[in-house]
Amino acid sequence: MTGAACGAIARTMTDDPPFSPALLPAGFVDLLTPDARTEAEGVDALMGVFASHGYDRVRPPLMEFEETLLAGSGSSLTEQSFRVMDPDTRRMMVLRPDITPQIARMAATRLGGAARPLRLSYSGSCVVVMPAAAEESGRQIMQAGIELIGPDTPHADAEVVSVAAEALDHLGVPGVSFDLTMPPFVPALLEEAGVPPTVRPALMRALDRKDAAAVAELGGMLAETLIALLRAAGPAEQAVALLARINLPPRSRAIIQRLADTVEAVRALNPTLRLTVDPVEFRGWKYHTGVCVTVFAVGRSEELGRGGRYLCNDNEPACGLTFRPDVLFRMIPPAAARPRVYLAPGADRHVAASLRKQGYATLAALGGLAVTGSAQGGGAAAPTGPERDRAEARRLGCSHILSGATCTELE
Amino acid sequence: MTGAACGAIARTMTDDPPFSPALLPAGFVDLLTPDARTEAEGVDALMGVFASHGYDRVRPPLMEFEETLLAGSGSSLTEQSFRVMDPDTRRMMVLRPDITPQIARMAATRLGGAARPLRLSYSGSCVVVMPAAAEESGRQIMQAGIELIGPDTPHADAEVVSVAAEALDHLGVPGVSFDLTMPPFVPALLEEAGVPPTVRPALMRALDRKDAAAVAELGGMLAETLIALLRAAGPAEQAVALLARINLPPRSRAIIQRLADTVEAVRALNPTLRLTVDPVEFRGWKYHTGVCVTVFAVGRSEELGRGGRYLCNDNEPACGLTFRPDVLFRMIPPAAARPRVYLAPGADRHVAASLRKQGYATLAALGGLAVTGSAQGGGAAAPTGPERDRAEARRLGCSHILSGATCTELE
């Protein structure tokens, strides 16, 4: 992946190759207005919905010691993490590639004594060494999410899904779909059914590719069951009904029953949510131990968010969901800009303050600034004061001008 | 500096020394509620004031190539910067220690063609290798600020001061004071007055310490002038009047005149602002070329923010001011928390949604959760449903309980 691939190269270059002063590393970008504002306001909107369900905001740091961040649920993130040495302690510090393991650490230590269920929310940036193949959005990853620590119940899983759905609805993201999966199910089934360990990797790859022919060939006694499981994937209620008819050994049956219970609990909270189930999906989950969820928008391949059930550093149950605001903000209209008023020299300060309170942005004239455009060149007469002010207002993208105490809309 | 020195050690430790799973590197902290919310809402409030004056929000990345971030105005930040190798290009990347040089880069490249004056605002975290001695607030530094690029006028300097003052007023920070300095003045004066280069370092140290005796001893022909300059520091109008009486060579006089013009321009925008001037202060400024400003709160030694005039990467004039929200939020009341309503099992979903719209946080009962406290232990009768719900509501810090469609305040 090159810098060009992520759109990070600026349009204006003031230097020759090989190195432009505008070049950013692949996966890092400058957000401008309105995108930067849309993202910030989108995060605020998400955090507001989280708070309305009792999720308390926390802000873990950008860096931690390797021993804390990559312990417990974070151990699967080692390869994704930039590390630097702390000159103070000579220990290695990690630039966080994910916030959830930090919440898991906090829940197990400083918040170990806080009342359960512990509901926490967070937003912030993470950095990964290289973006996952499917993630085009780079190495600096914005996250905003919730974690619900304590109860290991379908109701807890369902609350996380339901709050996330409400947040997307509040943001105005159209056509949202939640896909429930159970990453521990396939490994548990293969083990419980006695599939030989030598066969399991190839069989799991076949299941991952949804390759029914290969599953039939490799599945042995379990082939019929596995193909039925593959076919069960789809809208949640239909999938649950199909899964109920499949003959499963006890532990695997219990795992699928928990998935069915979660579907029922989600429906109790949100009867109309677009909800699908894929029982054999397990790829891409790192530290998850139960029901997982991926959030999509219909017709788009990028994930809007993902989450699921995991264990905190002291093995306390937890589940959560993390949105990707940098993906989300591309799906919602840009944040509305304040209409702009140019403050001509001598504009009334109090009227200007009142305009700002009404939602305008006021752009003050700054002494000594040359006006570009009509004032330049040849024998043309210099524009008069009001004419010059109007030209300046237009040049700065203003729709109004304040002269003295009088605010006028530009024609 | 050790981890203990910055308060980063969690209260609950689940492991023995030498390494606690709760330990964070010195200068990195977990913010909890309400601090995390106070900071986030404080930043929002600052950004809102910036936007009302036409400052467009941008969001540069956490990391950049060393060649771009530490070029131009950023070159003085090299020692403060963590660096890692980009495995893609094998170039060194820098974790930003400051946002202003990123804005200077953007102004010179991607925004090189945007209309001037270019008003930009930003917020985000930076990381420094070691905190400056005076900065107790750590190595992860939150910044929120504005940059005004293009005009090199007292009016531009004054706008930055005035917008910053309005932002602090909006935030409710009490007893704010702005101190104006002119870092290039002392070096220019010593050179212009012909002070021998061998004497200058000792003389500058004496000026920095405000040590009048040493200044008298080292100052030679300039001693009287320098002592008058030391004595001129104080409230802005008084300082300007004192400075006007001091005999200065032409270039030094012009620098001081610009300071006086800035005071006048600030006064035109904000007649009541607490404004001081220190003409011989120059320490701690890295890339600044003109009037600089430090923001204090009366009776506190920590800086709330600082800024000043500098040159963008292509030598375009600019000035800006950056707040430290992590310092500011300790000076304002905690953000108001939503009152909490416990949703007993079976609580009406629509009433709960309506309560959230009214500003309550609703905390739903989650099936299967054991109630701690009165339900435990010995022969005591288990509490009845409503009694149990009220106990659970209190345990979770709720002031109200919603049972069915009825919301009751807890006595």
Side-chain angles (χ1 to χ4, degrees):
Chain A
M1 187 169 181
T2 65
C6 74
I9 295 186
R11 288 155 199 165
T12 312
M13 295 206 180
T14 58
D15 209 347
D16 288 330
F19 193 80
S20 156
L23 188 72
L24 292 174
F28 293 89
V29 295
D30 287 326
L31 282 193
L32 302 183
T33 289
D35 293 343
R37 197 175 62 235
T38 304
E39 184 182 273
E41 293 178 8
V43 168
D44 281 355
L46 292 173
M47 299 305 284
V49 172
F50 300 158
S52 79
H53 286 273
Y55 286 79
D56 284 335
R57 188 171 193 143
V58 294
R59 200 211 66 179
L62 279 174
M63 300 183 91
E64 293 194 14
F65 287 125
E66 191 171 31
E67 291 98 324
T68 60
L69 192 67
L70 302 181
S73 61
S75 60
S76 57
L77 304 171
T78 307
E79 285 185 15
Q80 280 289 55
S81 306
F82 278 114
R83 275 162 279 188
V84 293
M85 193 172 71
D86 177 14
D88 184 17
T89 60
R90 310 289 167 92
R91 289 180 191 276
M92 293 307 285
M93 302 195 299
V94 177
L95 191 51
R96 66 179 179 200
D98 190 3
I99 298 178
T100 300
Q102 298 189 293
I103 308 294
R105 169 185 58 76
M106 291 168 76
T109 56
R110 192 163 166 193
L111 294 170
R116 264 54 175 173
L118 179 62
R119 291 174 167 96
L120 300 175
S121 66
Y122 54 90
S123 70
S125 289
C126 301
V127 175
V128 295
V129 171
M130 291 299 251
E135 295 176 297
E136 290 160 29
S137 34
R139 292 196 279 182
Q140 178 171 340
I141 295 170
M142 183 79 181
Q143 295 190 333
I146 52 175
E147 308 294 336
L148 174 50
I149 295 135
D152 181 3
T153 66
H155 301 79
D157 299 330
E159 170 166 309
V160 168
V161 169
S162 170
V163 170
E166 186 176 322
L168 291 177
D169 186 52
H170 182 72
L171 218 57
V173 180
V176 169
S177 171
F178 284 72
D179 189 45
L180 298 181
T181 57
M182 207 30 136
F185 172 64
V186 164
L189 175 61
L190 299 196
E191 194 190 323
E192 203 175 8
V195 174
T198 49
V199 178
R200 285 182 212 169
L203 186 52
M204 287 186 65
R205 275 196 300 278
L207 286 166
D208 184 35
R209 293 195 312 270
K210 318 279 187 208
D211 181 344
V215 169
E217 191 187 320
L218 295 162
M221 303 273 287
L222 205 57
E224 200 179 326
T225 302
L226 292 172
I227 285 169
L229 287 165
L230 274 181
R231 289 187 183 143
E237 277 75 11
Q238 174 194 312
V240 166
L242 289 171
L243 288 169
R245 287 186 228 145
I246 299 174
N247 197 20
L248 293 172
R251 194 153 62 89
S252 303
R253 167 55 59 201
I255 294 175
I256 286 296
Q257 186 56 46
R258 174 59 181 271
L259 186 58
D261 293 345
T262 300
V263 168
E264 190 184 334
V266 171
R267 276 288 169 255
L269 294 172
N270 194 325
T272 58
L273 186 67
R274 198 187 306 246
L275 195 64
T276 57
V277 163
D278 188 342
V280 300
E281 178 74 32
F282 56 84
R283 196 169 44 126
W285 300 98
K286 295 190 180 97
Y287 44 73
H288 292 85
T289 58
V291 175
C292 286
V293 56
T294 316
V295 190
F296 291 102
V298 175
R300 294 184 67 117
S301 62
E302 292 164 298
E303 292 179 7
L304 307 185
R306 56 159 54 205
R309 183 156 285 286
Y310 61 96
L311 295 174
C312 292
N313 296 16
D314 56 356
N315 289 327
E316 185 177 14
C319 64
L321 193 145
T322 305
F323 284 121
R324 294 281 304 272
D326 44 0
V327 177
L328 278 180
F329 87 77
R330 295 198 290 265
M331 303 192 52
I332 57 177
R338 289 169 176 257
R340 294 178 166 229
V341 183
Y342 179 67
L343 304 183
D348 186 295
R349 282 199 300 125
H350 301 287
V351 175
S354 153
L355 287 168
R356 287 193 292 275
K357 271 202 182 141
Q358 291 167 51
Y360 289 91
T362 61
L363 282 76
L366 299 167
L369 188 71
V371 177
T372 57
S374 61
Q376 292 179 338
T384 63
E387 195 179 317
R388 188 194 57 207
D389 291 343
R390 280 193 296 273
E392 184 69 356
R394 282 193 200 92
R395 194 179 66 81
L396 294 172
C398 295
S399 58
H400 294 70
I401 186 165
L402 180 68
S403 303
T406 309
C407 186
T408 321
E409 188 164 0
L410 291 168
E411 62 280 359
Chain B
M1 186 170 181
T2 67
C6 76
I9 295 186
R11 288 155 200 165
T12 312
M13 295 208 181
T14 60
D15 209 348
D16 289 332
F19 193 79
S20 156
L23 188 72
L24 292 174
F28 293 89
V29 295
D30 288 325
L31 281 194
L32 303 183
T33 289
D35 293 344
R37 195 175 62 237
T38 305
E39 185 183 273
E41 292 178 9
V43 169
D44 281 354
L46 292 173
M47 298 305 284
V49 172
F50 300 160
S52 79
H53 285 274
Y55 286 79
D56 284 335
R57 188 171 192 142
V58 294
R59 200 211 66 177
L62 280 173
M63 300 183 90
E64 293 193 13
F65 287 125
E66 191 171 30
E67 290 99 324
T68 60
L69 192 67
L70 303 181
S73 61
S75 59
S76 58
L77 304 172
T78 306
E79 284 185 16
Q80 280 289 56
S81 306
F82 278 114
R83 274 162 279 186
V84 293
M85 192 173 71
D86 177 15
D88 184 18
T89 59
R90 312 288 168 91
R91 289 181 190 276
M92 293 307 285
M93 302 195 297
V94 177
L95 190 51
R96 66 180 179 199
D98 190 3
I99 297 178
T100 300
Q102 298 188 293
I103 308 294
R105 169 186 57 76
M106 291 168 76
T109 55
R110 191 162 167 196
L111 294 170
R116 263 55 174 171
L118 179 63
R119 291 174 167 97
L120 300 175
S121 66
Y122 55 88
S123 70
S125 289
C126 302
V127 175
V128 295
V129 171
M130 292 299 251
E135 295 177 295
E136 290 159 31
S137 34
R139 293 196 278 182
Q140 178 172 340
I141 294 170
M142 183 78 183
Q143 295 190 333
I146 51 175
E147 307 295 336
L148 175 49
I149 296 136
D152 182 3
T153 66
H155 301 79
D157 299 331
E159 170 167 308
V160 168
V161 169
S162 170
V163 170
E166 186 176 324
L168 292 176
D169 187 52
H170 182 72
L171 217 58
V173 180
V176 169
S177 172
F178 284 72
D179 189 45
L180 298 180
T181 57
M182 205 34 136
F185 171 64
V186 164
L189 174 60
L190 299 196
E191 194 190 323
E192 202 174 9
V195 174
T198 50
V199 179
R200 286 183 212 169
L203 186 52
M204 286 186 68
R205 275 194 300 279
L207 286 166
D208 183 35
R209 293 194 312 271
K210 319 279 188 206
D211 181 345
V215 169
E217 193 188 318
L218 295 161
M221 302 275 287
L222 204 56
E224 200 180 328
T225 301
L226 291 172
I227 286 170
L229 286 166
L230 276 181
R231 289 187 183 143
E237 278 74 10
Q238 175 193 312
V240 166
L242 289 171
L243 288 169
R245 286 187 230 143
I246 298 174
N247 197 19
L248 292 171
R251 193 153 64 90
S252 305
R253 167 54 61 201
I255 295 175
I256 287 295
Q257 186 57 46
R258 173 60 180 270
L259 186 58
D261 292 344
T262 300
V263 168
E264 189 183 334
V266 171
R267 275 288 169 254
L269 294 173
N270 193 325
T272 59
L273 185 69
R274 198 188 306 247
L275 194 65
T276 58
V277 163
D278 189 343
V280 301
E281 180 72 33
F282 56 85
R283 196 169 45 126
W285 300 98
K286 295 190 180 96
Y287 43 74
H288 292 85
T289 58
V291 175
C292 286
V293 58
T294 316
V295 190
F296 292 101
V298 174
R300 294 184 68 118
S301 61
E302 292 163 297
E303 291 178 7
L304 308 186
R306 56 158 57 205
R309 182 157 285 287
Y310 61 96
L311 295 174
C312 290
N313 297 16
D314 55 355
N315 290 327
E316 184 177 15
C319 63
L321 192 144
T322 305
F323 284 120
R324 294 282 303 273
D326 44 0
V327 177
L328 278 180
F329 87 79
R330 295 198 289 267
M331 304 192 52
I332 57 176
R338 289 168 175 257
R340 293 178 168 230
V341 183
Y342 178 66
L343 304 184
D348 188 294
R349 282 199 301 124
H350 301 289
V351 175
S354 153
L355 287 168
R356 286 193 292 275
K357 269 202 185 144
Q358 291 168 50
Y360 289 91
T362 62
L363 282 75
L366 298 168
L369 188 69
V371 177
T372 56
S374 61
Q376 293 179 338
T384 63
E387 196 179 316
R388 190 195 54 208
D389 291 342
R390 280 195 296 275
E392 184 68 356
R394 282 193 200 91
R395 196 179 65 81
L396 294 172
C398 295
S399 58
H400 293 69
I401 186 165
L402 180 67
S403 302
T406 309
C407 185
T408 321
E409 188 164 1
L410 292 167
E411 62 279 2

